[in-house]
Amino acid sequence: MTQGKRLLAKRGASLEEEACTATSATELALERATHSTSVAEDAAIRRRQRRLGTHMGWFATAWGVAALVVMPVLAVIWLALFGDDGSDQAGDGIWPHLVSTVLPDYVMTSLALVAGVAVLSGSMGVVSAWLTTMYQFPLRRTFEWSLLLPFAIPANVIAYIYTDVFEYAGPFQGALRALFGWDSPQDYYFPEIRSLGGAILMLSLVLFPYVFMLARSAFLDQSPSLRDASRTLGCNGWQSFWRVALPSARPAIAVGLALAMMEALNDFGTVDYFAVRSLTAGIFNVWLNMGSLRGAAQIALCLMIFVVTLIWLERHARRRQRQFGKGDRYRRYRRPTLHGWRAGLATLACLLPLLFGFLLPVGLLTRHAIRYFEESWTPDFAGYALNSLMLSVSAAVLTLIIGVLLAYAKRLDRTASVQQALKLSSLGYAMPGAVLGLGVLVPLSGFDNALDSFLRANFGFSSGLLLTGTMGAIIIAYVVRFLAIAAGSIESSLDKVTPSMDMAARSLGENTFSTLRRVHLPLIRPGLLTAALVVFVDAMKELPATLLLRPFNFDTLATHVYQYASDEMLEQAALPALVIVVVGILPVIVISRTIVASRSES
């Protein structure tokens, strides 16, 4: 019994020890589980914090850029409504005087200008796009890319050239008088080139490529089956174009027309040279000649209303139109071959815009540049070229950096607030250069004056004007105006990068910025090059903002051409104008190659 009791006691002790061991193991497992849970929670918290930090970073970036773009617009509105430049003690500025005298003329002239440009450039662009897309005729493949070349010529340059050729003392009318024996203007009628009609023609010759490019892209995207079906239903070529192709391409044509009309409103060099009293010319006249900054802002506000109306009309024109890709839209379309007088007429319809919009002006510029090379090639010319280069390169680089950040913000953050900020960031391109120049000048001068007053009051010295009247002010205006171009090109390139590339990079330990630097930027290099090139060339040609914001005794190629041509010295302005045209051809080549390469049947 004693031995049995000892065995039972020993067995009980063993069970007790095993129970204690099990309890300890359970406690240890619970402790490890608790520790794992806390580690997982900490990791989840860190991930949420990183996501929140990333979201706030992209949110701040998007809205910071949006504030930069919106600032000039708000400055113009504030100055027009509440500013005081001392022009009227009653607080209304010279607005009553403007309304009763020049403003109605400015408004009606601007309406006529944009309407004429819309009709003429739309006709040339749509007809040439339809012919090069639908029919085979001599030089068709050449016209596909060469009809974009007028993009490279600033409108004011072509105005200077044709005025020199077609005015009364020019070679054309001189040849007519010699041929027919006319002695005075009373003997014959010749339309006045320096007129509203002349300005419409000059602007249309360089702006119709907007309509041509977008209309041709829309015609190429249309399904050949639609055209075939219209022909089987008894439509001839004209009826098929009018009833099927044109309504289907209307959204793209509306965008092209809106761009052409906004560029017409932005133009200053042509309307000033032709003495056309548009709203843009009115801004310069009221500010520089009447000495009223607030009056200029009030006219700028009217011009902004024009632009907003154009944007609304463009969106209204393509409302309720949704088109979906057809499975056969890239099927090779067999173009009918035109013969005889039809082929000649089609060739002539495409040749005339190219001839008068590019070939003849470039030929005359080249002739003048060669004959007057020694007078034009001066140290001053080299300085003007260097100024243009510095401004354009700086604007292109800054716009590219900001455009990458905006496009990447849209890719990473799909919240409504960021998307709204991105829409506001594209507002600058819709604003004419004169409006942006005025809008940039107001806050920069306010900042300089406030800083100078603070330093005088507290430290006894003056800082002067740090930003106003400097190259920095011009660069800011360029960035605001051309940001939408760069951001749109970069965004289009980023959209082609599959999201799996982001996931693969993150799984390999890359963060957001290293993924952008090591993965996305190499993949979208062609889009970056295109964006930088287009901004560079547009900055080289920009005239209104440069005239308003440039420092004293500071000229670019664009302002140099404007000043010499305004003084009737076109020969001395030919070389810098030709340089601008040659530089402008580069993005035209890139755009035309992109369009042709993206369409298998073209």
Side-chain angles (χ1 to χ4, degrees):
M1 290 293 294
T2 303
Q3 187 175 1
K5 290 180 179 179
R6 289 177 180 174
L7 289 174
L8 287 174
K10 188 175 182 180
R11 180 62 176 168
S14 176
L15 290 174
E16 254 181 59
E17 185 177 350
E18 290 178 0
C20 291
T21 303
T23 303
S24 300
T26 302
E27 292 176 352
L28 181 60
L30 289 173
E31 183 179 352
R32 288 178 177 175
T34 303
H35 178 70
S36 299
T37 302
S38 62
V39 170
E41 290 178 351
D42 291 342
I45 292 173
R46 286 196 296 271
R47 285 195 297 270
R48 286 196 297 269
Q49 290 175 343
R50 283 196 298 270
R51 285 197 297 268
L52 180 61
T54 301
H55 168 73
M56 292 302 298
W58 292 117
F59 178 87
T61 299
W63 277 102
V65 174
L68 173 67
V69 173
V70 174
M71 177 187 65
V73 179
L74 296 180
V76 170
I77 296 174
W78 179 87
L79 181 60
L81 298 179
F82 309 109
D84 183 12
D85 57 6
S87 58
D88 191 339
Q89 298 299 324
D92 294 330
I94 62 171
W95 179 250
H97 173 71
L98 294 177
V99 172
S100 62
T101 54
V102 296
L103 186 61
D105 189 21
Y106 290 154
V107 172
M108 296 306 298
T109 302
S110 298
L111 280 174
L113 181 68
V114 297
V117 169
V119 172
L120 191 54
S121 64
S123 301
M124 291 190 292
V126 171
V127 169
S128 56
W130 174 252
L131 291 173
T132 55
T133 303
M134 295 302 303
Y135 299 101
Q136 186 67 40
F137 56 91
L139 299 179
R140 183 193 67 84
R141 294 194 64 85
T142 301
F143 291 137
E144 286 181 345
W145 60 268
S146 61
L147 282 171
L148 293 175
L149 289 175
F151 261 139
I153 302 185
N156 59 314
V157 171
I158 202 172
Y160 305 148
I161 293 171
Y162 282 123
T163 300
D164 187 59
V165 172
F166 291 112
E167 66 180 352
Y168 179 77
F172 189 79
Q173 291 196 51
L176 289 179
R177 291 192 297 272
L179 180 62
F180 295 101
W182 296 327
D183 295 325
S184 67
Q186 288 74 26
D187 295 335
Y188 66 100
Y189 169 77
F190 194 85
E192 178 60 47
I193 186 69
R194 294 195 184 190
S195 61
L196 177 59
I200 291 173
L201 178 60
M202 298 300 104
L203 289 169
S204 299
L205 285 174
V206 298
L207 295 178
F208 83 89
Y210 281 113
V211 184
F212 168 79
M213 178 176 60
L214 294 172
R216 185 167 186 272
S217 179
F219 290 146
L220 288 172
D221 281 341
Q222 289 176 1
S223 171
S225 299
L226 292 176
R227 297 190 284 264
D228 296 341
S230 67
R231 302 305 291 269
T232 59
L233 293 174
C235 292
N236 56 29
W238 167 254
Q239 291 172 332
S240 178
F241 164 75
W242 187 257
R243 296 181 180 180
V244 178
L246 189 60
S248 181
R250 192 178 72 179
I253 295 173
V255 175
L257 289 175
L259 290 173
M261 289 188 288
M262 284 191 290
E263 288 296 328
L265 283 176
N266 177 60
D267 178 80
F268 171 71
T270 304
V271 297
D272 178 66
Y273 192 65
F274 282 5
V276 175
R277 297 162 65 87
S278 69
L279 286 168
T280 301
I283 294 175
F284 284 84
N285 180 49
V286 172
W287 185 5
L288 302 181
N289 295 333
M290 297 185 182
S292 175
L293 181 60
R294 186 183 180 189
Q298 290 166 342
I299 295 181
L301 185 58
C302 296
L303 186 56
M304 289 168 56
I305 295 174
F306 257 75
V307 172
V308 172
T309 303
L310 284 177
I311 296 174
W312 179 85
L313 289 175
E314 178 266 323
R315 295 184 177 179
H316 182 75
R318 56 190 176 96
R319 74 191 190 285
R320 299 181 182 177
Q321 288 208 7
R322 300 182 62 194
Q323 300 186 32
F324 300 93
K326 304 296 182 182
D328 64 341
R329 66 172 179 164
Y330 292 121
R331 174 170 65 85
R332 185 173 295 276
Y333 176 72
R334 294 185 178 180
R335 298 181 178 89
T337 302
L338 300 178
H339 300 282
W341 65 270
R342 291 184 175 86
L345 192 60
T347 303
L348 185 64
C350 295
L351 179 61
L352 288 178
L354 177 64
L355 176 64
F356 290 102
F358 183 79
L359 297 179
L360 185 57
V362 171
L364 292 174
L365 280 178
T366 304
R367 177 175 175 269
H368 289 322
I370 293 174
R371 290 185 61 184
Y372 296 90
F373 181 80
E374 294 183 358
E375 291 87 342
S376 302
W377 188 262
T378 63
D380 289 339
F381 170 78
Y384 303 148
L386 182 60
N387 291 339
S388 294
L389 182 65
M390 289 190 299
L391 289 174
S392 301
V393 169
S394 301
V397 171
L398 286 176
T399 306
L400 202 64
I401 294 173
I402 298 174
V404 168
L405 294 177
L406 281 180
Y408 208 52
K410 182 177 181 181
R411 183 181 181 89
L412 297 180
D413 195 334
R414 299 286 180 175
T415 58
S417 60
V418 171
Q419 302 303 311
Q420 189 65 31
L422 296 179
K423 290 180 180 179
L424 290 175
S425 300
S426 63
L427 181 65
Y429 188 68
M431 294 295 106
V435 175
L436 283 179
L438 189 62
V440 168
L441 183 65
V442 172
L444 291 187
S445 60
F447 171 80
D448 285 342
N449 291 331
L451 180 62
D452 182 71
S453 299
F454 174 79
L455 293 177
R456 284 175 180 271
N458 294 276
F459 300 99
F461 70 92
S462 172
S463 62
L465 298 178
L466 299 178
L467 295 175
T468 307
T470 65
M471 291 178 58
I474 304 176
I475 293 172
I476 292 174
Y478 288 173
V479 170
V480 171
R481 174 156 170 75
F482 303 123
L483 178 60
I485 300 175
S489 177
I490 296 168
E491 181 183 336
S492 177
S493 300
L494 269 178
D495 287 342
K496 298 176 183 177
V497 180
T498 174
S500 60
M501 300 293 291
D502 302 58
M503 301 176 187
R506 300 303 294 270
S507 66
L508 294 174
E510 302 289 345
N511 58 30
T512 301
F513 285 99
S514 61
T515 302
L516 172 64
R517 179 176 58 86
R518 302 182 63 181
V519 178
H520 292 102
L521 291 183
L523 291 175
I524 65 172
R525 188 179 292 116
L528 295 176
L529 176 62
T530 301
L533 198 57
V534 173
V535 172
F536 175 82
V537 173
D538 282 344
M540 288 277 290
K541 297 190 295 183
E542 175 61 33
L543 179 63
T546 311
L547 285 174
L548 288 176
L549 298 173
R550 60 179 176 155
F552 292 110
N553 299 321
F554 181 92
D555 278 305
T556 64
L557 290 177
T559 61
H560 178 60
V561 171
Y562 166 76
Q563 289 179 344
Y564 267 78
S566 300
D567 295 336
E568 306 295 338
M569 301 172 65
L570 179 63
E571 292 80 6
Q572 284 75 16
L575 182 61
L578 189 61
V579 171
I580 295 175
V581 172
V582 171
V583 173
I585 292 176
L586 298 177
V588 172
I589 295 174
V590 172
I591 293 171
S592 62
R593 287 172 61 90
T594 302
I595 293 175
V596 173
S598 63
R599 302 296 192 276
S600 60
E601 81 274 18
S602 62

